[in-house]
Amino acid sequence: MLSPLASDLGVQYLLVAAEQAPSVLNTQPWRLRTSGHDLAELLCDPSRRLRVSDPRGRSMHLSCGAALFNLRLAVRVGGHRPTVSLLPDPDEPELLASIRMTDSTPANATERALYSAIRVRRTNREPFEDRMIPPSVMAGLRIAATREGANLLPLDGAAANELLEQVALADDEIERDKSYLAELAAWTAGRALFDGVPRHVHGPRADRDPAPVRDFGLGHRGRDRRVERFESHPQLAVLTTRGDRPVDWLHAGQALQRVLLMATCHGISASFLNQPLDLRDMRRRTDPRHARGHAQMIIRLGYGPVVPRAPRRPAGELLLQERRGRDRLMPLLRL
């Protein structure tokens, strides 16, 4: 079977899949490099790391992990098996993953459904319906996270309310950080055509405090925004990993994207409330090790309206010059 990298069209196919992944403030901090007809390499783009809120590069790695999962799906739907090595070269820390493609059986129904959801998935900051996610569906989302080496922990009402209070406290603290607000405004003011979080996807302000949605208006006060009632009982979940190293962040990103695509297949929307994690990273602290793992994402789930997508960089901008003569792979992970 012809490799996806055997033609320009095949390379474009992978680039389009990668570019649709979610990323922190829609920074899209990834690049793709090919080597021959059967090897693709995912690299981070440090120039797109958030210097203030992501000093460790955790969110950047997590974002790239989500793009990696999309790449894996694209390879499978193309009839190949992706064999992935994470962080394969200590001498090139920007190289996050290598993907070797070999012939395989056709993609199964689940893989095809997840791949189809790539173009449909959106981050949804609108109010959700007051409708609970069925336990069987939530169980499926938890299994999806586990398949990628992470855990998804749904919170009950009391725990969700407590976490919303922590989010509000984190907002209060980071709102006093002028560098943070400047960085937030730079990526949310709506001037960029191909990245960032423009105003049309900000969503409304919540009619209560603590709010179940992030207020991007912190970065540019004075703009009129509508106020709406949000769901009475936000359904929150925390994505955790056993460790808190770059390799764990990459696993978390892949788990996040598998969960989000699975949710999309069930008509479930998602947005994020990661301010406490931003504050932790800004303080250059790590989570204390505990039985439930290290928190990597705080996710709000529910049934929301159709929303527009955030802008994306042109696919061609993501491609680096091909590098040849490289064959140092240790397979670690398969879809």
Side-chain angles (χ1 to χ4, degrees):
M1 184 177 294
L2 189 65
S3 165
L5 302 182
S7 68
D8 291 342
L9 184 60
V11 174
Q12 184 80 5
Y13 176 73
L14 297 182
L15 290 171
V16 169
E19 73 171 1
Q20 299 296 322
S23 59
V24 56
L25 294 188
N26 196 29
T27 49
Q28 304 168 58
W30 46 68
R31 305 292 293 274
L32 189 70
R33 183 171 64 199
T34 62
S35 181
H37 290 168
D38 64 352
L39 179 65
E41 297 175 319
L42 179 71
L43 298 90
C44 64
D45 184 347
S47 70
R48 290 178 166 268
R49 177 171 64 83
L50 301 174
R51 304 294 174 182
V52 178
S53 60
D54 190 28
R56 295 196 296 156
R58 184 188 64 86
S59 294
M60 179 182 68
H61 280 75
L62 203 146
S63 300
C64 290
L68 175 59
F69 186 78
N70 280 6
L71 287 170
R72 289 166 52 199
L73 275 180
V75 172
R76 278 298 296 128
V77 170
H80 293 77
R81 177 177 295 279
T83 301
V84 177
S85 177
L86 299 179
L87 304 175
D89 188 351
D91 295 328
E92 190 179 9
E94 294 176 11
L95 176 58
L96 303 185
S98 298
I99 309 167
R100 176 76 70 186
M101 306 171 201
T102 56
D103 287 347
S104 182
T105 57
N108 59 38
T110 297
E111 292 166 336
R112 293 195 300 271
L114 293 177
Y115 177 77
S116 296
I118 288 175
R119 290 179 174 273
V120 181
R121 185 212 62 81
R122 304 281 189 270
T123 299
N124 193 328
R125 303 177 183 90
E126 296 289 329
F128 292 167
E129 298 176 18
D130 282 316
R131 175 161 56 117
M132 298 301 294
I133 297 171
S136 60
V137 175
M138 186 62 76
L141 299 183
R142 297 185 68 179
I143 292 171
T146 302
R147 288 196 60 183
E148 299 300 329
N151 286 301
L152 185 70
L153 307 176
L155 304 183
D156 60 23
N161 289 335
E162 181 180 350
L163 183 53
L164 287 177
E165 292 287 351
Q166 294 178 24
V167 170
L169 290 173
D171 263 337
D172 288 343
E173 182 162 347
I174 59 182
E175 187 176 354
R176 295 192 292 268
D177 188 317
K178 293 182 179 179
S179 296
Y180 179 92
L181 293 181
E183 181 177 76
L184 182 65
W187 287 96
T188 62
R191 291 187 293 270
L193 296 177
F194 303 118
D195 54 16
V197 186
R199 196 177 183 190
H200 72 271
V201 294
H202 283 190
R205 294 177 59 193
D207 63 346
R208 68 179 189 275
D209 190 36
V213 66
R214 186 169 187 178
D215 184 4
F216 287 117
L218 288 175
H220 29 85
R221 295 290 192 187
R223 292 190 173 184
D224 294 331
R225 295 175 61 215
R226 73 185 192 278
V227 176
E228 291 195 13
R229 175 189 174 276
F230 278 70
E231 61 271 23
S232 302
H233 303 287
Q235 299 174 80
L236 304 184
V238 179
L239 186 74
T240 69
T241 52
R242 292 185 62 183
D244 194 33
R245 302 166 300 161
V247 68
D248 301 299
W249 304 336
L250 290 172
H251 281 299
Q254 292 172 90
L256 173 69
Q257 184 64 344
R258 185 185 279 274
V259 167
L260 294 179
L261 295 179
M262 181 77 70
T264 300
C265 290
H266 288 284
I268 295 171
S269 299
S271 61
F272 311 104
L273 292 162
N274 292 322
Q275 298 93 306
L277 307 183
D278 289 347
L279 184 59
R280 178 196 66 190
D281 289 342
M282 290 165 64
R283 291 171 171 171
R284 297 183 181 272
R285 296 178 181 171
T286 59
D287 278 340
R289 190 168 184 81
H290 51 81
R292 307 197 80 180
H294 299 269
Q296 304 294 351
M297 294 291 293
I298 300 171
I299 311 170
R300 165 183 167 247
L301 296 162
Y303 296 94
V306 175
V307 294
R309 77 166 191 168
R312 288 297 186 270
R313 299 164 67 191
E317 186 179 309
L318 309 179
L319 187 63
L320 292 172
Q321 184 175 1
E322 178 176 345
R323 182 162 67 166
R324 302 181 183 278
R326 191 181 161 78
D327 191 13
R328 297 171 52 197
L329 293 179
M330 182 181 296
L332 296 179
L333 147 66
R334 293 186 178 182
L335 186 69

